[in-house]
Amino acid sequence: MNTIEQLSQTYDKKQPKLLEDYLTFLRFKSISADSEYREESQACADWLKAYLTQSGFQVEQWDTAGNPSLFASYHSSAKNAPTLLLYTHYDVQPIDPIELWESPPFEPLIKEGLVYARGAQDNKGQCFYTVAALKSLIEENGGLPIHIKLIIDGEEEIGSPGLTKLLQTKKEQLKADYVTIVDLGILGPDSPAVTLGCRGIITMDVIVQGTRGDLHSGSHGGVAFNPIHALIEILSKLRDPQGKVLVPGFYDDVAELSADERKLLALEFDQAQYKKEFGSEATGGEKQYTPFERAWLRPTLEINGIYGGYSGKGFKTVIPAVANAKISCRLVPNQVPSKIGQQVKQFIEKNTPSGVQVTVHVHEGGGPGIRTAPSSKIVQAFATAYGEVFKKPCQFILEGGSIPITNGLREASGGELAMMGFGLATDQIHAPNEHFSLDRLKQGFLTMARTIALLGENKS
Ligand code: BES
Ligand code: MN
């Protein structure tokens, strides 16, 4: 019933209806960063809840101060069946800059095998093949070979503040033998890979205040302290020209990779390909490391935005009262997000020139760097399924991006962790014209369904 060939036939048979449902899912404007979209997000959760209920799941909505999470479970009638907890999210990133979208972000467009929409990949596409695989297995086999629990988060893109608070109280329900984060990627369209870890994150706002209000830059130029200049001075001290972060203690807790762990990873990097895909070579970060070492094994400090003063049309001669920057640090295992946040905050306060006021707000909702065990049953089951779907060996990678809830979910569930997905670096997630391919929607379905079948065959 559940070989790749059989699953592939099942998918092809169900594809028209599944595609229609996927497109319906993409039409909800479930942007978590903006509370204006609260109702649309609830409508999306309602749709998903009904879809999962129809598929045979018991579904609960878990309310938070923001968007709710959904918790769904399916009890297998198989003896000694293990429990797999799957995590995905239904919220999406904001759509700006809207003028750069070639088709409206919430009106999915299919062109040359690609589906264009906000969330097409991150994470509605990945959520959908997961749900579709479970639904189809239940329909075709009359049930599932293992117990399944499913969390669909409504706030991943803002660091999962609501779900994080619920983890302690929901421990009993979350209990599982295995937990899998379905929000990652593969190496290339024909290069299957399982992700053995991702980076953590901590974010902050920096606000530099000069005079009480904006001033005429003729009358006050050379007299008032311009906070944009103060901000530039501060920011320029954060890194040296070799890309090393100069905050004291920043690298103290970085865990080095063992030679054995390193051997497992596909670290080769193609600069020409990168330039072709993104328009520039990969030359950022710490110069003495290779690109994948910099993205996977090293922490970073990046400025994500700077604003202040006049940046509208034409020209305005003003000395602004305020200047702002947004900073994030990507972290590797053993670094503690809150500790790094405090180190950066103190460094900025110490390096602020006198004459302006600085405030650094370190945000809640960060998360630590993660590593999974490559030899675990769950990682091996996914690697086997990827290998069968692509008919070639599955590689192992790490990911530079972050899924902040991962560690909390692993601890609350007590399960062995795996991280998987079908994203590509070229999907333009978080950017205009985000897309996912119909091919990968199917491959995701097959890999998920096959992995569940394998876990069911090989119980312990
Ligand atoms: N799916 C991404 C993480 C990711 C990015 C995986 C690239 C694979 C490749 C996830 O939804 C995400 O974007 N997380 C945010 C978290 C942040 C907003 C707290 C991130 O990494 O920026
Ligand atoms: Mn994302």
Side-chain angles (χ1 to χ4, degrees):
M1 280 299 262
N2 298 309
T3 64
I4 298 298
E5 288 65 34
Q6 288 159 338
L7 291 167
S8 176
Q9 279 176 21
T10 302
Y11 183 85
D12 293 344
K13 179 178 77 186
K14 294 176 187 280
Q15 198 268 359
K17 179 69 174 85
L18 288 177
L19 182 59
E20 197 184 301
D21 296 340
Y22 170 46
L23 300 184
T24 302
F25 187 23
L26 291 176
R27 289 191 187 98
F28 292 99
K29 304 184 179 79
S30 50
I31 301 171
S32 52
D34 185 344
S35 57
E36 293 239 326
Y37 294 91
R38 191 68 61 75
E39 267 177 42
E40 280 268 354
S41 301
Q42 179 63 60
C44 187
D46 290 343
W47 179 84
L48 262 178
K49 184 175 180 198
Y51 198 72
L52 286 161
T53 305
Q54 271 167 28
S55 307
F57 279 82
Q58 295 281 331
V59 194
E60 290 178 13
Q61 174 169 314
W62 287 357
D63 286 322
T64 71
N67 289 340
S69 286
L70 293 179
F71 176 79
S73 56
Y74 189 97
H75 195 269
S76 171
S77 56
K79 271 213 190 99
N80 300 323
T83 301
L84 168 62
L85 170 66
L86 295 162
Y87 170 91
T88 73
H89 62 96
Y90 71 83
D91 65 316
V92 299
Q93 284 273 333
I95 54 175
D96 61 288
I98 181 69
E99 66 279 7
L100 296 183
W101 283 82
E102 282 167 25
S103 57
F106 294 107
E107 293 171 30
L109 172 76
I110 306 180
K111 209 168 99 186
E112 292 165 10
L114 300 178
V115 182
Y116 290 85
R118 167 59 81 233
Q121 192 256 85
D122 184 10
N123 184 249
K124 285 177 172 170
Q126 310 227 49
C127 177
F128 189 76
Y129 68 64
T130 302
V131 171
L134 297 168
K135 175 175 154 66
S136 297
L137 286 175
I138 295 169
E139 282 167 6
E140 297 299 304
N141 302 343
L144 294 172
I146 60 172
H147 306 304
I148 293 287
K149 294 177 176 179
L150 187 60
I151 290 200
I152 311 183
D153 192 350
E155 297 182 323
E156 193 277 344
E157 300 291 1
I158 54 170
S160 305
L163 186 56
T164 300
K165 290 204 181 80
L166 288 174
L167 289 178
Q168 283 317 312
T169 55
K170 303 288 189 187
K171 243 176 157 163
E172 200 45 47
Q173 274 173 293
L174 290 169
K175 234 170 125 210
D177 300 287
Y178 310 116
V179 52
T180 298
I181 310 289
V182 188
D183 193 12
L184 293 119
I186 49 179
L187 265 174
D190 202 24
S191 302
V194 165
T195 303
L196 294 182
C198 66
R199 285 195 290 191
I201 188 168
I202 185 85
T203 62
M204 63 202 83
D205 273 284
V206 181
I207 302 130
V208 181
Q209 177 85 43
T211 52
R212 198 176 308 119
D214 288 1
L215 298 173
H216 189 285
S217 74
S219 324
H220 296 269
V223 182
F225 198 154
N226 184 332
I228 296 185
H229 288 279
L231 182 62
I232 292 171
E233 203 177 311
I234 296 166
L235 297 179
S236 70
K237 292 191 174 137
L238 288 166
R239 305 201 324 192
D240 77 7
Q242 300 312 308
K244 187 179 165 205
V245 176
L246 296 175
V247 174
F250 188 77
Y251 297 103
D252 281 1
D253 298 332
V254 169
E256 297 292 335
L257 207 65
S258 74
D260 282 351
E261 287 174 307
R262 203 187 159 91
K263 261 191 252 147
L264 279 176
L265 297 175
L267 277 159
E268 311 77 41
F269 188 86
D270 187 337
Q271 281 286 12
Q273 170 88 5
Y274 191 86
K275 177 149 192 195
K276 204 167 113 202
E277 285 173 352
F278 302 107
S280 182
E281 282 192 6
T283 50
E286 292 175 278
K287 303 272 185 272
Q288 81 262 39
Y289 293 93
T290 65
F292 275 144
E293 287 174 337
R294 285 171 352 226
W296 294 352
L297 309 179
R298 300 293 298 168
T300 62
L301 182 154
E302 299 274 352
I303 300 161
N304 301 116
I306 297 188
Y307 54 105
Y310 184 68
S311 53
K313 287 203 177 105
F315 207 89
K316 188 175 173 210
T317 48
V318 68
I319 295 192
V322 195
N324 304 266
K326 290 188 180 284
I327 295 178
S328 62
C329 298
R330 296 285 172 170
L331 309 174
V332 298
N334 206 41
Q335 286 184 298
V336 179
S338 55
K339 181 174 165 190
I340 296 287
Q342 288 311 309
Q343 285 171 346
V344 176
K345 179 179 159 84
Q346 277 165 21
F347 181 83
I348 289 175
E349 286 167 354
K350 219 173 128 196
N351 284 282
T352 298
S354 59
V356 294
Q357 305 296 321
V358 75
T359 314
V360 182
H361 284 300
V362 180
H363 304 151
E364 284 177 29
I370 303 287
R371 291 281 188 275
T372 69
S375 58
S376 75
K377 208 164 190 173
I378 184 70
V379 169
Q380 288 299 318
F382 274 110
T384 302
Y386 273 98
E388 291 181 10
V389 170
F390 286 82
K391 301 197 167 42
K392 54 157 73 167
C394 179
Q395 292 181 282
F396 291 110
I397 55 176
L398 297 174
E399 169 53 45
S402 312
I403 296 145
I405 195 80
T406 304
N407 194 51
L409 206 56
R410 172 182 2 211
E411 283 177 356
S413 71
E416 256 179 354
L417 176 68
M419 309 181 81
M420 62 83 70
F422 275 82
L424 285 178
T426 48
D427 290 336
Q428 299 187 218
I429 63 171
H430 297 205
N433 308 310
E434 175 176 356
H435 53 274
F436 197 43
S437 70
L438 294 175
D439 288 348
R440 283 181 287 143
L441 196 68
K442 176 172 177 178
Q443 289 162 340
F445 172 101
L446 296 177
T447 305
M448 186 57 73
R450 183 66 185 143
T451 301
I452 289 167
L454 286 170
L455 290 171
E457 280 168 16
N458 176 14
K459 289 177 230 150
S460 65

